[in-house]
Amino acid sequence: MRNKMYGEFGGQYVAESLMPTLIELDKAYHEVIKDPKFWEEYRYYMKDYVGRESPLYFAKTLSAKYGPRIYLKREDLNHTGAHKINNSIGQIMLAKRMGKTKVIAETGAGQHGVATATAAALFGLKCRVFMGAEDMRRQALNVMRMRMLGAEVVEVHSGTDTLKDATNEAIRTWAKDAEDTFYVIGSAVGPAPYPEMVKAFQRIISEEAKKQILEKEGRLPTAIVACVGGGSNAIGVFADFLDDKEVKLYGVEAAGKGLSTGEHAAAMSAKNVGIIHGMRTYLLQNPDGNIKTAYSISAGLDYPGVGPEHAHLCQTGRVTYDSVTDTEAMEALLELCKLEGIIPAIESSHALAYLPKLCKDLTKDDIVIVNLSGRGDKDVNTIANYINERGGL
Ligand SMILES: *Cc1c(COP(=O)(O)O)cnc(C)c1O
């Protein structure tokens, strides 16, 4: 069948009972993407509801500090504050076309839950969001947001009470309720066709960025940098440049407290292949073969796996993957606040923190695009704690 694998990665590693549901979804998705009316409606919501296109902003002060001409793709300015809404709206439009009346979603930090609750309210669908008990405690503000938007937040008590466990619970519920329920996955992960579908709804980032950089500079960028959790903002900003071999692409994972401490979320650092959430991919594994808990100061990067296309792009060398620590990301965050007057999400700050390393070998004639995947309002508590521990601003 179509596009189920990215080299040796991807696939549909799910229980037999879920296969008819995946086949139904795969068929509906491939029909819908051929329909120009679907994309016309999608573009309408992207423009008038999300506020696209998002600006490609020339960061003058940042450029002066690091050398090359640095542009920020401002996904932080989207409605609900990040790139995730592009995908939630796309998937919920598909759910409607399939005649589903309910959606479910998993969420860790709550950002995908909020984006999905928002899109469900917009399209009049019932929404249930699965969230680990520990995450609900840490992200009380987003729990409130989802409830205000009309969603039911289901508290998950299993494993470590976090994202991985919420995802397992969402998959179980989906297998049971698939008749009227659509599962909205929040990153470029999961069994086929999800990675491909999420990419299709996030590729608008690179379509815009390419047009914008050609207008502003008359040429393609030297390099593009994005943070990688499951990999949706990264695959979105890479998509339209993958065939432009002269454009170097960089994905930055969370090294947490440092790769050597074992407390990190850099699924591609050790190149362990395994199966998680219906896909074969690189993931964090203990020596006994069990999935290891991911750690990052950033709740949105705190995922033990990575989307299968990234695993493939890593293996083929088309994209270079590296990682930065909590401290490097937090210092880059504080720097962007002061230099450009923009408070970025901690996730996005991992891409910013890669600039010193990347720009060492570049000149002022080079062009770099950093995907600013989201805004940092949601992170102010974490940032305040970090500032306290470091002894002030
Ligand atoms: C969720 C999130 C991420 C990480 O998810 P990807 O699928 O890897 O993009 C990155 N940035 C922000 C702002 C997020 O909310």
Side-chain angles (χ1 to χ4, degrees), residues 82-84 111 186-187 227-234 300-301 345 347-348 373-374:
H83 66 291
K84 288 199 170 76
Q111 293 304 108
S187 188
C227 66
V228 177
S232 69
N233 87 89
L301 298 184
E347 290 85 357
S348 324
S373 55

Side-chain angles (χ1 to χ4, degrees), residues 101-122:
T101 54
K102 299 176 185 160
V103 296
I104 55 172
E106 82 295 338
T107 200
Q111 293 304 108
H112 172 57
V114 169
T116 303
T118 300
L122 175 66

Side-chain angles (χ1 to χ4, degrees), residues 104 130 154 156 158 164-174:
I104 55 172
F130 294 86
V154 181
V156 175
S158 73
K164 171 171 67 63
D165 315 299
T167 306
N168 289 332
E169 194 56 35
I171 294 174
R172 268 197 292 277
T173 304
W174 190 37

